[in-house]
Amino acid sequence: MMVADDHQIVRKGLVMLLEAEKNIDIVAEVSDGRAAVDIAEELRPHVAVMDIVMPGMGGIEATRRLRKLGVAVVALSMHSDRHFVVEMFRAGARAFLLKDCATDELVGAIRAVVEGEAYLGPSIERGLGMDLSSLDYLIAEEDQRMELTPREWEILQLVAEGRSTREIASSLNLSAKTVENHRQSVMNKLDLHNVADLTKYAIRCGLTDTELL
């Protein structure tokens, strides 16, 4: 399995705790979502313990990509906002726990996802008044509201990172007009009206390393 967290002390501590467990082998530890995806493409770990807000590519977008690689994601975060829980599961995570959980709980969640089950930490259930069934409803509701294409997610992240239209066009080998069209489509789908709003949305989705506003 793999551990992804940008705080070295937290990451090293997780690795040490998990390596002490039977039948859990850590094949990689990384500090951001993009590195997690790159490593997963090479090593194909079965499970990734994933933070949400990390430099570069955040945990939500990384989870979306890891799901396509067949990696089961266990979200481990300090953020208990309903938005983060819904978006991580919507991206494909199979479990969500807070970082103050006990080691036994984390190990139990890992074993659950390996068996194909979903897991929601008790503190999340109590704090947000939700369970896995209500979570399914919230995800379905969000899916009906909007669905960005992979290209739109990519452009949203670059816009949030402060890239200009010309820079985005150059990096993605697109015309400036095409970039502008994609950006407008994103704004229409999300009912947002300017770059500042797009940036705030991207931060809430964990697409950038900018501090939460």
Side-chain angles (χ1 to χ4, degrees), residues 125-150:
E125 292 183 336
R126 291 192 301 270
L128 297 181
M130 65 164 60
D131 56 23
L132 288 171
S133 60
S134 62
L135 185 60
D136 286 341
Y137 174 80
L138 291 170
I139 292 172
E141 187 178 64
E142 179 68 10
D143 284 340
Q144 289 175 356
R145 188 175 73 84
M146 73 87 187
E147 180 64 51
L148 299 185
T149 67

PDB file of all heavy atoms in Angstrom, residues 125-150:
ATOM      1  N   GLU A 125     -19.643  10.229  11.305  1.00  0.00           N
ATOM      2  CA  GLU A 125     -21.074   9.931  11.392  1.00  0.00           C
ATOM      3  C   GLU A 125     -21.740  10.764  12.490  1.00  0.00           C
ATOM      4  O   GLU A 125     -22.816  11.336  12.297  1.00  0.00           O
ATOM      5  CB  GLU A 125     -21.290   8.441  11.651  1.00  0.00           C
ATOM      6  CG  GLU A 125     -20.893   7.554  10.480  1.00  0.00           C
ATOM      7  CD  GLU A 125     -21.196   6.094  10.748  1.00  0.00           C
ATOM      8  OE1 GLU A 125     -21.265   5.700  11.938  1.00  0.00           O
ATOM      9  OE2 GLU A 125     -21.381   5.336   9.782  1.00  0.00           O
ATOM     10  N   ARG A 126     -21.078  10.842  13.653  1.00  0.00           N
ATOM     11  CA  ARG A 126     -21.652  11.608  14.760  1.00  0.00           C
ATOM     12  C   ARG A 126     -21.618  13.104  14.480  1.00  0.00           C
ATOM     13  O   ARG A 126     -22.601  13.824  14.692  1.00  0.00           O
ATOM     14  CB  ARG A 126     -20.884  11.316  16.057  1.00  0.00           C
ATOM     15  CG  ARG A 126     -21.064   9.911  16.602  1.00  0.00           C
ATOM     16  CD  ARG A 126     -20.521   9.819  18.012  1.00  0.00           C
ATOM     17  NE  ARG A 126     -19.100  10.153  18.064  1.00  0.00           N
ATOM     18  CZ  ARG A 126     -18.123   9.273  17.931  1.00  0.00           C
ATOM     19  NH1 ARG A 126     -18.402   7.997  17.749  1.00  0.00           N
ATOM     20  NH2 ARG A 126     -16.856   9.646  18.002  1.00  0.00           N
ATOM     21  N   GLY A 127     -20.480  13.586  13.996  1.00  0.00           N
ATOM     22  CA  GLY A 127     -20.311  15.019  13.805  1.00  0.00           C
ATOM     23  C   GLY A 127     -21.178  15.596  12.702  1.00  0.00           C
ATOM     24  O   GLY A 127     -21.678  16.726  12.817  1.00  0.00           O
ATOM     25  N   LEU A 128     -21.384  14.841  11.624  1.00  0.00           N
ATOM     26  CA  LEU A 128     -22.136  15.342  10.479  1.00  0.00           C
ATOM     27  C   LEU A 128     -23.532  14.747  10.390  1.00  0.00           C
ATOM     28  O   LEU A 128     -24.318  15.146   9.524  1.00  0.00           O
ATOM     29  CB  LEU A 128     -21.362  15.057   9.184  1.00  0.00           C
ATOM     30  CG  LEU A 128     -20.008  15.751   9.050  1.00  0.00           C
ATOM     31  CD1 LEU A 128     -19.370  15.388   7.707  1.00  0.00           C
ATOM     32  CD2 LEU A 128     -20.136  17.253   9.189  1.00  0.00           C
ATOM     33  N   GLY A 129     -23.827  13.791  11.261  1.00  0.00           N
ATOM     34  CA  GLY A 129     -25.154  13.186  11.234  1.00  0.00           C
ATOM     35  C   GLY A 129     -25.439  12.460   9.936  1.00  0.00           C
ATOM     36  O   GLY A 129     -26.557  12.510   9.413  1.00  0.00           O
ATOM     37  N   MET A 130     -24.439  11.770   9.410  1.00  0.00           N
ATOM     38  CA  MET A 130     -24.623  11.023   8.159  1.00  0.00           C
ATOM     39  C   MET A 130     -24.107   9.610   8.329  1.00  0.00           C
ATOM     40  O   MET A 130     -23.308   9.315   9.215  1.00  0.00           O
ATOM     41  CB  MET A 130     -23.903  11.712   7.000  1.00  0.00           C
ATOM     42  CG  MET A 130     -22.383  11.753   7.140  1.00  0.00           C
ATOM     43  SD  MET A 130     -21.500  12.152   5.590  1.00  0.00           S
ATOM     44  CE  MET A 130     -22.146  13.752   5.195  1.00  0.00           C
ATOM     45  N   ASP A 131     -24.580   8.718   7.469  1.00  0.00           N
ATOM     46  CA  ASP A 131     -24.034   7.374   7.386  1.00  0.00           C
ATOM     47  C   ASP A 131     -23.803   7.057   5.914  1.00  0.00           C
ATOM     48  O   ASP A 131     -24.005   7.904   5.049  1.00  0.00           O
ATOM     49  CB  ASP A 131     -24.954   6.350   8.052  1.00  0.00           C
ATOM     50  CG  ASP A 131     -26.365   6.382   7.481  1.00  0.00           C
ATOM     51  OD1 ASP A 131     -26.561   6.845   6.334  1.00  0.00           O
ATOM     52  OD2 ASP A 131     -27.296   5.941   8.181  1.00  0.00           O
ATOM     53  N   LEU A 132     -23.390   5.843   5.616  1.00  0.00           N
ATOM     54  CA  LEU A 132     -23.059   5.505   4.235  1.00  0.00           C
ATOM     55  C   LEU A 132     -24.266   5.597   3.306  1.00  0.00           C
ATOM     56  O   LEU A 132     -24.135   5.975   2.144  1.00  0.00           O
ATOM     57  CB  LEU A 132     -22.441   4.107   4.163  1.00  0.00           C
ATOM     58  CG  LEU A 132     -21.016   3.991   4.726  1.00  0.00           C
ATOM     59  CD1 LEU A 132     -20.595   2.534   4.807  1.00  0.00           C
ATOM     60  CD2 LEU A 132     -20.036   4.792   3.880  1.00  0.00           C
ATOM     61  N   SER A 133     -25.464   5.294   3.817  1.00  0.00           N
ATOM     62  CA  SER A 133     -26.648   5.361   2.966  1.00  0.00           C
ATOM     63  C   SER A 133     -26.999   6.807   2.629  1.00  0.00           C
ATOM     64  O   SER A 133     -27.339   7.115   1.480  1.00  0.00           O
ATOM     65  CB  SER A 133     -27.832   4.665   3.636  1.00  0.00           C
ATOM     66  OG  SER A 133     -28.142   5.282   4.872  1.00  0.00           O
ATOM     67  N   SER A 134     -26.914   7.703   3.601  1.00  0.00           N
ATOM     68  CA  SER A 134     -27.206   9.110   3.320  1.00  0.00           C
ATOM     69  C   SER A 134     -26.109   9.719   2.451  1.00  0.00           C
ATOM     70  O   SER A 134     -26.365  10.611   1.648  1.00  0.00           O
ATOM     71  CB  SER A 134     -27.343   9.903   4.621  1.00  0.00           C
ATOM     72  OG  SER A 134     -26.145   9.895   5.376  1.00  0.00           O
ATOM     73  N   LEU A 135     -24.894   9.207   2.598  1.00  0.00           N
ATOM     74  CA  LEU A 135     -23.794   9.670   1.768  1.00  0.00           C
ATOM     75  C   LEU A 135     -24.042   9.326   0.309  1.00  0.00           C
ATOM     76  O   LEU A 135     -23.799  10.139  -0.587  1.00  0.00           O
ATOM     77  CB  LEU A 135     -22.484   9.044   2.242  1.00  0.00           C
ATOM     78  CG  LEU A 135     -21.191   9.499   1.577  1.00  0.00           C
ATOM     79  CD1 LEU A 135     -20.985  10.998   1.756  1.00  0.00           C
ATOM     80  CD2 LEU A 135     -20.009   8.738   2.155  1.00  0.00           C
ATOM     81  N   ASP A 136     -24.552   8.140   0.052  1.00  0.00           N
ATOM     82  CA  ASP A 136     -24.892   7.743  -1.323  1.00  0.00           C
ATOM     83  C   ASP A 136     -25.901   8.717  -1.924  1.00  0.00           C
ATOM     84  O   ASP A 136     -25.809   9.081  -3.100  1.00  0.00           O
ATOM     85  CB  ASP A 136     -25.467   6.321  -1.344  1.00  0.00           C
ATOM     86  CG  ASP A 136     -24.406   5.258  -1.121  1.00  0.00           C
ATOM     87  OD1 ASP A 136     -23.217   5.575  -1.314  1.00  0.00           O
ATOM     88  OD2 ASP A 136     -24.770   4.135  -0.750  1.00  0.00           O
ATOM     89  N   TYR A 137     -26.860   9.145  -1.128  1.00  0.00           N
ATOM     90  CA  TYR A 137     -27.879  10.076  -1.607  1.00  0.00           C
ATOM     91  C   TYR A 137     -27.247  11.430  -1.943  1.00  0.00           C
ATOM     92  O   TYR A 137     -27.557  12.028  -2.986  1.00  0.00           O
ATOM     93  CB  TYR A 137     -28.962  10.248  -0.545  1.00  0.00           C
ATOM     94  CG  TYR A 137     -29.986  11.315  -0.892  1.00  0.00           C
ATOM     95  CD1 TYR A 137     -31.033  11.037  -1.769  1.00  0.00           C
ATOM     96  CD2 TYR A 137     -29.884  12.597  -0.370  1.00  0.00           C
ATOM     97  CE1 TYR A 137     -31.959  12.012  -2.106  1.00  0.00           C
ATOM     98  CE2 TYR A 137     -30.809  13.580  -0.701  1.00  0.00           C
ATOM     99  CZ  TYR A 137     -31.842  13.279  -1.567  1.00  0.00           C
ATOM    100  OH  TYR A 137     -32.736  14.248  -1.902  1.00  0.00           O
ATOM    101  N   LEU A 138     -26.351  11.905  -1.068  1.00  0.00           N
ATOM    102  CA  LEU A 138     -25.710  13.200  -1.295  1.00  0.00           C
ATOM    103  C   LEU A 138     -24.835  13.168  -2.551  1.00  0.00           C
ATOM    104  O   LEU A 138     -24.771  14.131  -3.304  1.00  0.00           O
ATOM    105  CB  LEU A 138     -24.862  13.588  -0.081  1.00  0.00           C
ATOM    106  CG  LEU A 138     -25.641  13.940   1.188  1.00  0.00           C
ATOM    107  CD1 LEU A 138     -24.689  14.071   2.377  1.00  0.00           C
ATOM    108  CD2 LEU A 138     -26.428  15.232   0.998  1.00  0.00           C
ATOM    109  N   ILE A 139     -24.151  12.055  -2.776  1.00  0.00           N
ATOM    110  CA  ILE A 139     -23.314  11.918  -3.963  1.00  0.00           C
ATOM    111  C   ILE A 139     -24.172  11.915  -5.220  1.00  0.00           C
ATOM    112  O   ILE A 139     -23.853  12.572  -6.216  1.00  0.00           O
ATOM    113  CB  ILE A 139     -22.465  10.632  -3.875  1.00  0.00           C
ATOM    114  CG1 ILE A 139     -21.424  10.772  -2.762  1.00  0.00           C
ATOM    115  CG2 ILE A 139     -21.778  10.349  -5.214  1.00  0.00           C
ATOM    116  CD1 ILE A 139     -20.678   9.489  -2.464  1.00  0.00           C
ATOM    117  N   ALA A 140     -25.269  11.174  -5.181  1.00  0.00           N
ATOM    118  CA  ALA A 140     -26.175  11.126  -6.332  1.00  0.00           C
ATOM    119  C   ALA A 140     -26.744  12.506  -6.623  1.00  0.00           C
ATOM    120  O   ALA A 140     -26.869  12.916  -7.782  1.00  0.00           O
ATOM    121  CB  ALA A 140     -27.305  10.133  -6.071  1.00  0.00           C
ATOM    122  N   GLU A 141     -27.057  13.238  -5.573  1.00  0.00           N
ATOM    123  CA  GLU A 141     -27.592  14.596  -5.729  1.00  0.00           C
ATOM    124  C   GLU A 141     -26.561  15.507  -6.380  1.00  0.00           C
ATOM    125  O   GLU A 141     -26.869  16.304  -7.272  1.00  0.00           O
ATOM    126  CB  GLU A 141     -27.991  15.130  -4.358  1.00  0.00           C
ATOM    127  CG  GLU A 141     -28.725  16.460  -4.380  1.00  0.00           C
ATOM    128  CD  GLU A 141     -29.121  16.897  -2.985  1.00  0.00           C
ATOM    129  OE1 GLU A 141     -28.220  17.150  -2.164  1.00  0.00           O
ATOM    130  OE2 GLU A 141     -30.327  16.970  -2.709  1.00  0.00           O
ATOM    131  N   GLU A 142     -25.303  15.384  -5.959  1.00  0.00           N
ATOM    132  CA  GLU A 142     -24.227  16.199  -6.523  1.00  0.00           C
ATOM    133  C   GLU A 142     -23.964  15.814  -7.977  1.00  0.00           C
ATOM    134  O   GLU A 142     -23.719  16.666  -8.829  1.00  0.00           O
ATOM    135  CB  GLU A 142     -22.954  16.021  -5.698  1.00  0.00           C
ATOM    136  CG  GLU A 142     -21.744  16.810  -6.193  1.00  0.00           C
ATOM    137  CD  GLU A 142     -21.895  18.305  -6.045  1.00  0.00           C
ATOM    138  OE1 GLU A 142     -22.849  18.757  -5.394  1.00  0.00           O
ATOM    139  OE2 GLU A 142     -21.067  19.036  -6.624  1.00  0.00           O
ATOM    140  N   ASP A 143     -24.018  14.513  -8.274  1.00  0.00           N
ATOM    141  CA  ASP A 143     -23.802  14.060  -9.644  1.00  0.00           C
ATOM    142  C   ASP A 143     -24.848  14.624 -10.592  1.00  0.00           C
ATOM    143  O   ASP A 143     -24.568  14.922 -11.752  1.00  0.00           O
ATOM    144  CB  ASP A 143     -23.836  12.521  -9.705  1.00  0.00           C
ATOM    145  CG  ASP A 143     -22.571  11.900  -9.161  1.00  0.00           C
ATOM    146  OD1 ASP A 143     -21.544  12.613  -9.089  1.00  0.00           O
ATOM    147  OD2 ASP A 143     -22.600  10.716  -8.800  1.00  0.00           O
ATOM    148  N   GLN A 144     -26.064  14.765 -10.098  1.00  0.00           N
ATOM    149  CA  GLN A 144     -27.129  15.309 -10.934  1.00  0.00           C
ATOM    150  C   GLN A 144     -26.919  16.802 -11.181  1.00  0.00           C
ATOM    151  O   GLN A 144     -27.311  17.335 -12.211  1.00  0.00           O
ATOM    152  CB  GLN A 144     -28.488  15.078 -10.257  1.00  0.00           C
ATOM    153  CG  GLN A 144     -28.917  13.625 -10.255  1.00  0.00           C
ATOM    154  CD  GLN A 144     -30.197  13.411  -9.482  1.00  0.00           C
ATOM    155  OE1 GLN A 144     -30.734  14.325  -8.878  1.00  0.00           O
ATOM    156  NE2 GLN A 144     -30.692  12.189  -9.499  1.00  0.00           N
ATOM    157  N   ARG A 145     -26.268  17.472 -10.202  1.00  0.00           N
ATOM    158  CA  ARG A 145     -26.094  18.918 -10.312  1.00  0.00           C
ATOM    159  C   ARG A 145     -25.084  19.282 -11.396  1.00  0.00           C
ATOM    160  O   ARG A 145     -25.291  20.196 -12.175  1.00  0.00           O
ATOM    161  CB  ARG A 145     -25.647  19.497  -8.961  1.00  0.00           C
ATOM    162  CG  ARG A 145     -25.631  21.018  -8.929  1.00  0.00           C
ATOM    163  CD  ARG A 145     -25.303  21.509  -7.547  1.00  0.00           C
ATOM    164  NE  ARG A 145     -23.918  21.323  -7.207  1.00  0.00           N
ATOM    165  CZ  ARG A 145     -22.946  22.164  -7.541  1.00  0.00           C
ATOM    166  NH1 ARG A 145     -23.227  23.235  -8.270  1.00  0.00           N
ATOM    167  NH2 ARG A 145     -21.700  21.943  -7.171  1.00  0.00           N
ATOM    168  N   MET A 146     -23.981  18.560 -11.430  1.00  0.00           N
ATOM    169  CA  MET A 146     -22.993  18.899 -12.445  1.00  0.00           C
ATOM    170  C   MET A 146     -21.962  17.783 -12.569  1.00  0.00           C
ATOM    171  O   MET A 146     -21.763  17.013 -11.658  1.00  0.00           O
ATOM    172  CB  MET A 146     -22.306  20.224 -12.109  1.00  0.00           C
ATOM    173  CG  MET A 146     -21.323  20.203 -10.961  1.00  0.00           C
ATOM    174  SD  MET A 146     -19.669  19.748 -11.501  1.00  0.00           S
ATOM    175  CE  MET A 146     -18.853  19.600  -9.918  1.00  0.00           C
ATOM    176  N   GLU A 147     -21.313  17.746 -13.723  1.00  0.00           N
ATOM    177  CA  GLU A 147     -20.221  16.805 -13.950  1.00  0.00           C
ATOM    178  C   GLU A 147     -19.220  17.453 -14.886  1.00  0.00           C
ATOM    179  O   GLU A 147     -19.497  17.643 -16.069  1.00  0.00           O
ATOM    180  CB  GLU A 147     -20.743  15.497 -14.534  1.00  0.00           C
ATOM    181  CG  GLU A 147     -19.642  14.462 -14.788  1.00  0.00           C
ATOM    182  CD  GLU A 147     -18.983  14.027 -13.483  1.00  0.00           C
ATOM    183  OE1 GLU A 147     -19.681  13.655 -12.547  1.00  0.00           O
ATOM    184  OE2 GLU A 147     -17.727  14.076 -13.422  1.00  0.00           O
ATOM    185  N   LEU A 148     -18.064  17.791 -14.350  1.00  0.00           N
ATOM    186  CA  LEU A 148     -17.016  18.368 -15.185  1.00  0.00           C
ATOM    187  C   LEU A 148     -16.309  17.256 -15.946  1.00  0.00           C
ATOM    188  O   LEU A 148     -16.148  16.148 -15.453  1.00  0.00           O
ATOM    189  CB  LEU A 148     -15.999  19.129 -14.333  1.00  0.00           C
ATOM    190  CG  LEU A 148     -16.500  20.320 -13.505  1.00  0.00           C
ATOM    191  CD1 LEU A 148     -15.318  21.007 -12.830  1.00  0.00           C
ATOM    192  CD2 LEU A 148     -17.274  21.301 -14.347  1.00  0.00           C
ATOM    193  N   THR A 149     -15.865  17.579 -17.148  1.00  0.00           N
ATOM    194  CA  THR A 149     -15.073  16.631 -17.925  1.00  0.00           C
ATOM    195  C   THR A 149     -13.642  16.620 -17.375  1.00  0.00           C
ATOM    196  O   THR A 149     -13.233  17.553 -16.674  1.00  0.00           O
ATOM    197  CB  THR A 149     -15.036  17.036 -19.404  1.00  0.00           C
ATOM    198  OG1 THR A 149     -14.303  18.271 -19.524  1.00  0.00           O
ATOM    199  CG2 THR A 149     -16.442  17.222 -19.964  1.00  0.00           C
ATOM    200  N   PRO A 150     -12.852  15.571 -17.672  1.00  0.00           N
ATOM    201  CA  PRO A 150     -11.459  15.550 -17.225  1.00  0.00           C
ATOM    202  C   PRO A 150     -10.686  16.797 -17.666  1.00  0.00           C
ATOM    203  O   PRO A 150      -9.876  17.333 -16.901  1.00  0.00           O
ATOM    204  CB  PRO A 150     -10.905  14.278 -17.882  1.00  0.00           C
ATOM    205  CG  PRO A 150     -12.096  13.388 -18.006  1.00  0.00           C
ATOM    206  CD  PRO A 150     -13.240  14.312 -18.332  1.00  0.00           C
TER     207      PRO A 150
END
